[in-house]
Amino acid sequence: MAGRNGRTVRDLRRGNRTAVLQRLYFDGPLSRFELGPATGLSSGSVSNVVADLVADGLVEEAGSVDSDGGRPRTLLRVAPASGHMIGVDVGETRVRVELFDLTLAELARAQRPLEQQGYEVEVIVDHIRSGIAEVLSGAGLAPERLLGVGIGVPGIVEHTPDRGAVVHGQTIGWDAVPLESLLRAGSPLPDTVPYFIDNGAKTLGQAEMWFGAGRGAGNALVVLFGSGVGACLVTPEVEHGRAVEWGHLTVRVRGRRCRCGALGCLEAYAGAESLLARWREEGGRVPGGTDEETALTTMLAAAYPADDSAPDPVALAVLEETAEYLGAGLSDLINLFQPERILMGGWAGLRLGSRFLPAVHRHALSYALRHPAEKVTIELGRLGPDAVTVGAAILPLADFFARGGRRPDPDPQSPPPAWHTALQERTPR
């Protein structure tokens, strides 16, 4: 029966379970006494919800604390083994697959290198399938115990009613690829295990906002700097994050050709792929037969030698020019969105790290309007190269929260709540 606001008793119970689960997840362990004011629920509601969650194996005791003059209070926490998720990063140099428990502790991982940035659809699908099978086997986990598989991909993701997630990845040659349908055909997973597919920059942003350098920020931009560049915008209006095709802003009319086919994109100057190409064009000694990550490490060592030797002037000049392009690109984001925080992640951004960031910061502030520039901080992400897989695993975790800790309903006539509902309702502060 629905109330005046359209919510049923089932909706209310699910909402109460969600509130308790999320508070324990982010702020636990907590006592029943603390959960009341933390969730806004009455003591009776808290007791009933906790009893249900304990009976379901989702919540467990975690010791006790002394109370003021009374009996010690029992602490509660989310049970790590009560759920498992897989996060997949379809990256620029490899496909990374990781298995996590409910608290996002890594249990197993598998990696598949991409030879010469090969994005053949069949190859990527096979890498994801085999990686999923490998991590499940390595951890001895039955597939049906998964809450879901989250996948971060390059490009724009469209969610359709008939084909599921469809990926438009112009830079990698993907034109409306029905990735979810392809994965489901011949999948090692039962049909009850859902896939959650979204843009990789967005999953990176979600990970940093929940667990990394974005915690506490209400308005932030998380930048993915790898072979190309992308960004995720998080504001009070789009708390679950929105992917921004930042790499395809035009920074030079009739400039270098981008891998998307257009001329003068930021990615044609600021991505690691273009950075190495420009070093090669200027006479730099780019090592042959190596992957992009190794080549960038070589360039970084040449520009910033660890000993007292002189830096390679060509490598240093190209890196400094790249820092200016990135800074100018960030100034556009500062002027448009006025974020309080910008975080730079991605394998290339983390590899260049603290040596590179001060120059990027300096150029960003010089190109941006003074007022928003004075309010923004620019720093590196804190979650390392696994941030995209962690963020991808957050997608089924958020869906699990939105369901009040219940697994997906296999009845197709009972549509699940949108997975991004929990992302909107609880970005940690």
Side-chain angles (χ1 to χ4, degrees), residues 4 32 63 70 81 85 105 122 168-169 201 300 351 368 381 417 420:
R4 291 183 179 179
R32 290 172 176 81
M85 302 82 65
E122 295 79 7
H168 304 270
L300 184 62
R351 191 149 300 194
H420 56 72

Side-chain angles (χ1 to χ4, degrees), residues 14 60 83 117 127 135 159 176 201 213 234 340 357 365 375 384 419:
R14 182 175 61 209
E60 62 188 14
Q117 297 179 316
H127 283 343
V135 296
H159 296 277
V234 181
E340 61 184 274
L357 196 62
L365 299 192
K375 297 178 177 296
W419 60 259

Side-chain angles (χ1 to χ4, degrees), residues 16 19-21 23-24 30-50 73-74 76:
N16 290 348
V20 171
L21 268 177
R23 188 59 69 178
L24 286 176
L30 297 170
S31 67
R32 290 172 176 81
F33 178 79
E34 292 170 309
L35 278 169
T39 60
L41 301 176
S42 68
S43 59
S45 294
V46 167
S47 295
N48 290 336
V49 171
V50 167
R73 293 185 179 132
T74 301
L76 303 166

